[in-house]
C-alpha cells in the first residue's frame, strides 16, 4: 500500500514537472487564404518575405503594418531562430507562397510581461501575415548543396568564392577580386573549425553562438 502511494506521488510529480498540468502557451493559427499550387512549404531556417499587420487583441488597435509603415515594403524574416517573436516561429511553419494567415499570439510567445513600445505588458497579439516569397536560409541544406559544386560534401575556398560572387551579383553589388579573397579567408577563419581547408557539411550547419 505504501509503495503504491509513493508511485502515485511520483507519477504526479513527474506529470507536474513535465508541465502536463499547465498547458503550454500556443499560437492560434487560422489560414485565411491558401493558394491552389504550393511548390514548397516553409521550414526552420528559411527566409520569408512577408507583409503583415499587427493588432492588439484587447482593443483591435493596429500597432504595426508593413503596408502603412516601413514605406509599404515587405520584410524578410528567418523562420525558427527567434528573429522576431516565438509566436511567429511557431505560427509560420508549413506555409506556402501566396498563403495568408491570422495568428493569435499569447503574451508568453509575444512581448510577455514587459511589452515593447506601443505594446503594453501581457498583450495578446493578432497578426495578419501574407507570405510573398521563400528563399533558402544561409545555413540551410539547400544552400550547402548549391555551394558544393563538385558534390563532395565539403566546401573549398573556391566554391565559397564562386557563391559569394553570385550572391553579390544577384544584389547588384560590384566587389573587386581582392575583397572576395579577404571575405573568403574571414569565413574560413570562423567556419573551418578543424582547419583542414574545407568547410564540411557539419561545420556549415553547426549553429554558432552569434547566430
Ligand atoms: Ca565541394
Ligand atoms: Ca573543415
Amino acid at each position: 500500500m505504501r509503495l503504491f502511494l509513493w508511485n502515485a506521488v511520483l507519477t504526479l510529480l513527474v506529470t507536474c514537472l513535465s508541465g502536463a498540468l499547465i498547458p503550454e502557451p500556443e499560437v492560434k493559427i487560422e489560414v485565411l487564404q491558401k493558394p491552389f499550387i504550393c511548390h514548397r512549404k516553409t521550414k526552420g531556417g528559411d527566409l520569408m518575405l512577408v507583409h503583415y499587420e499587427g493588432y492588439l487583441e484587447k482593443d483591435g488597435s493596429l500597432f504595426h503594418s508593413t503596408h502603412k509603415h516601413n514605406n509599404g515594403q515587405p520584410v524578410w524574416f528567418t523562420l525558427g531562430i527567434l528573429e522576431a517573436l516565438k509566436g511567429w516561429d511557431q505560427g509560420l511553419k508549413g506555409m506556402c507562397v501566396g498563403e495568408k494567415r491570422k495568428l493569435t499570439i499569447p503574451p508568453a510567445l509575444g512581448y510577455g510581461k514587459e511589452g515593447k513600445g506601443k505594446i503594453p505588458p501581457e498583450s495578446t497579439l493578432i497578426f495578419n501575415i501574407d507570405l510573398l516569397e521563400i528563399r533558402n536560409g544561409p545555413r540551410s541544406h539547400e544552400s550547402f548543396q548549391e555551394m558544393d559544386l563538385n558534390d563532395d560534401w565539403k566546401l573549398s575556398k573556391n566554391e565559397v568564392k564562386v557563391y559569394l560572387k553570385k550572391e553579390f551579383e544577384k544584389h547588384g553589388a560590384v566587389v573587386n577580386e581582392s575583397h572576395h579573397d579577404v571575405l573568403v579567408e574571414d569565413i574560413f577563419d570562423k567556419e573551418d573549425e578543424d582547419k583542414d581547408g574545407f568547410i564540411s557539411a557539419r561545420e556549415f550547419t553547426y549553429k554558432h553562438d552569434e547566430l
Side-chain angles (χ1 to χ4, degrees):
M1 183 62 194
R2 246 184 113 173
L3 191 71
F4 172 77
L5 206 85
W6 258 113
N7 275 340
V9 168
L10 276 178
T11 310
L12 193 72
L13 262 176
V14 170
T15 320
C16 284
L17 288 175
S18 66
L21 295 179
I22 310 157
E24 285 283 308
E26 264 183 39
V27 176
K28 185 176 158 202
I29 302 170
E30 292 162 81
V31 177
L32 304 178
Q33 189 181 305
K34 199 150 195 166
F36 286 111
I37 302 164
C38 182
H39 294 294
R40 172 177 177 174
K41 288 183 175 178
T42 52
K43 61 173 176 4
D46 281 347
L47 286 164
M48 304 171 69
L49 184 66
V50 297
H51 259 310
Y52 73 91
E53 283 154 356
Y55 301 90
L56 299 180
E57 189 196 41
K58 62 166 186 181
D59 60 5
S61 64
L62 178 77
F63 61 83
H64 194 83
S65 159
T66 50
H67 295 284
K68 283 195 183 161
H69 313 111
N70 206 38
N71 295 321
Q73 293 298 310
V75 292
W76 283 103
F77 159 74
T78 311
L79 184 64
I81 60 163
L82 268 185
E83 191 180 280
L85 302 173
K86 277 186 190 161
W88 275 41
D89 282 347
Q90 279 191 20
L92 298 180
K93 281 182 213 157
M95 201 169 171
C96 309
V97 169
E99 189 173 329
K100 292 179 199 289
R101 281 189 185 177
K102 178 181 170 187
L103 304 182
T104 306
I105 300 180
L109 302 174
Y111 292 104
K113 291 192 180 93
E114 268 108 65
K116 192 188 176 190
K118 288 183 209 165
I119 297 154
E122 298 291 356
S123 295
T124 296
L125 308 173
I126 293 176
F127 285 97
N128 287 326
I129 301 176
D130 294 357
L131 177 58
L132 308 175
E133 195 180 332
I134 305 171
R135 281 197 198 161
N136 297 329
R139 295 271 164 188
S140 68
H141 185 65
E142 290 87 351
S143 292
F144 185 86
Q145 284 185 316
E146 201 185 318
M147 293 167 85
D148 182 19
L149 301 174
N150 65 352
D151 292 323
D152 66 351
W153 287 96
K154 51 188 190 182
L155 305 177
S156 66
K157 286 189 177 174
N158 191 50
E159 283 170 336
V160 172
K161 196 168 158 177
V162 168
Y163 180 79
L164 283 179
K165 273 192 185 166
K166 231 169 47 185
E167 283 299 296
F168 278 120
E169 278 165 19
K170 227 194 291 183
H171 294 99
V174 183
V175 177
N176 68 34
E177 197 69 16
S178 63
H179 190 64
H180 275 299
D181 290 330
V182 174
L183 278 177
V184 169
E185 288 306 324
D186 194 46
I187 289 168
F188 272 74
D189 231 29
K190 292 199 187 90
E191 311 286 332
D192 180 16
E193 284 170 62
D194 62 2
K195 302 291 166 207
D196 69 344
F198 293 94
I199 297 171
S200 65
R202 195 199 63 79
E203 285 167 336
F204 182 82
T205 40
Y206 174 76
K207 286 235 161 65
H208 295 262
D209 287 344
E210 69 263 30
L211 293 174

